[in-house]
Amino acid sequence: TLLANECWNLAKQLPEGKQIIWFNNEEHIRKVKLRVIQSFLGLTKEDVQADIVTAVNKYEKEFGKDKIIFIDDANHIGKVEKAIARYNPGLIIVDQLYKVQGMMGGKQELEAERFRKLCEWARDIAKHTAPVIASNQLDGSAEGMKYPPMSMLYGSKTGAQGEADAILLIGKT
């Protein structure tokens, strides 16, 4: 929900011809798009679903059809890199970066090192193409914590955190 809200707010600020590419590795892409439309229109899920055609038409009329490009099952770096080359991103969102596979080491490599390399890869894209916002899960030990520490970032020790310019951890009570 946070990404959906920030996504369209940031998209409005992009220069003409620039787009947001949203690489989805989490829930069904229709749910993600619905959240963006809900957020943009300031409506509840129930309000949008009561008349989905009108909601989508209003969103597309006011915001445009191609300001945010949604790419589902972006679970391989090849798929991500092809899409980046195809579009003109002003911002890249990778929902669940740790689920991306490819050229990050063999099966014997520790998960923490594989994830660090993914973060390094995303940082390189951010340096040369467009800013990257990557979401990630926290590990199970963060359950119910109001202020989880960075050490609870799923699949990481300290390397992934070192590649980030900023990290926002969201807990709950």
Side-chain angles (χ1 to χ4, degrees):
T1 303
L2 174 70
L3 282 176
N5 185 62
E6 295 311 308
C7 181
W8 71 263
N9 274 301
L10 293 168
K12 291 189 308 185
Q13 300 174 51
L14 291 176
E16 191 68 34
K18 292 282 187 181
Q19 301 161 310
I20 290 180
I21 304 176
W22 183 309
F23 294 102
N24 182 54
N25 290 310
E26 187 62 355
E27 56 193 340
H28 198 284
I29 196 70
R30 283 187 294 225
K31 285 184 178 180
V32 174
K33 289 179 182 179
L34 176 65
R35 282 205 180 103
V36 172
I37 291 169
Q38 278 178 246
S39 180
F40 179 78
L41 298 175
L43 298 173
T44 66
K45 178 181 173 181
E46 293 74 25
D47 290 339
V48 171
Q49 289 179 327
D51 190 356
I52 191 85
V53 173
T54 300
V56 169
N57 287 340
K58 184 174 182 181
Y59 168 82
E60 289 178 352
K61 181 180 178 193
E62 292 181 29
F63 191 65
K65 284 185 177 185
D66 62 351
K67 196 66 174 177
I68 303 170
I69 306 297
F70 295 93
I71 299 177
D72 204 16
D73 299 323
N75 53 14
H76 195 276
I77 63 171
K79 188 171 188 177
V80 172
E81 289 175 346
K82 283 180 187 175
I84 290 171
R86 178 178 175 193
Y87 297 103
N88 188 17
L91 177 67
I92 298 164
I93 295 174
V94 184
D95 194 358
Q96 303 305 320
L97 177 63
Y98 76 95
K99 291 183 179 179
V100 177
Q101 300 292 318
M103 297 180 7
M104 296 298 160
K107 293 197 183 272
Q108 276 63 26
E109 187 165 53
L110 294 174
E111 180 63 15
E113 181 59 14
R114 186 192 76 79
F115 186 49
R116 184 201 64 78
K117 288 180 179 179
L118 273 172
C119 293
E120 182 179 37
W121 168 75
R123 184 177 182 88
D124 195 51
I125 291 170
K127 284 194 281 187
H128 300 289
T129 305
V132 174
I133 297 175
S135 71
N136 207 53
Q137 302 281 344
L138 297 177
D139 66 30
S141 63
E143 181 68 32
M145 290 189 89
K146 188 173 184 176
Y147 301 110
M150 284 194 292
S151 62
M152 291 182 173
L153 187 62
Y154 179 82
S156 180
K157 300 289 185 202
T158 59
Q161 295 89 324
E163 294 296 334
D165 287 327
I167 295 177
L168 172 65
L169 294 162
I170 301 173
K172 74 176 195 176
T173 57

